[in-house]
Amino acid sequence: MGIEPSGHYWKVLAWQMKISKEIDYLVGVNPYHVKKSKEFDDNSPGKSDRKDAGVIGRLIRDGRYFDIYLPKDVYGELRVITTSRKGQ
């Protein structure tokens, strides 16, 4: 499964998929690449969920993705603590 990790909402979905083991492999696609690639198809920067899903699928098919790293145990806790500390 491939996702466009923008904002913070994708993390909940990614963790749920990893915990439930409903998918074998989770990859991410750079949001900037999605934005630029969608203009190639119809020369329009318009945004729609259907169009974005097609672009993300094509980027994954072409191998233009990265592995999603979801730290667990101590490493996950350290990431949360670090993020919380930076926000203060």
Side-chain angles (χ1 to χ4, degrees):
M1 182 170 111
I3 58 175
E4 178 186 8
S6 56
H8 63 277
Y9 298 107
W10 69 272
K11 291 181 183 179
V12 176
L13 176 64
W15 272 110
Q16 183 60 38
M17 292 303 212
K18 184 174 183 177
I19 291 169
S20 66
K21 299 186 191 275
E22 291 183 27
I23 59 167
D24 294 330
Y25 201 64
L26 182 66
V27 296
V29 178
N30 188 328
Y32 182 75
H33 293 164
V34 173
K35 181 179 180 180
K36 290 301 181 182
S37 296
K38 78 171 89 176
E39 296 174 10
F40 290 135
D41 294 334
D42 59 3
N43 201 22
S44 165
K47 181 168 178 50
S48 72
D49 291 338
R50 172 173 253 150
K51 187 175 180 181
D52 285 351
V55 171
I56 291 168
R58 280 191 294 282
L59 287 170
I60 292 170
R61 181 191 64 198
D62 294 342
R64 299 175 195 277
Y65 60 86
F66 57 88
D67 295 328
I68 298 286
Y69 174 66
L70 297 171
K72 55 185 174 180
D73 300 327
V74 175
Y75 300 105
E77 292 176 24
L78 284 171
R79 181 172 282 187
V80 170
I81 291 169
T82 303
T83 304
S84 299
R85 176 79 173 141
K86 286 181 182 178
Q88 292 182 0

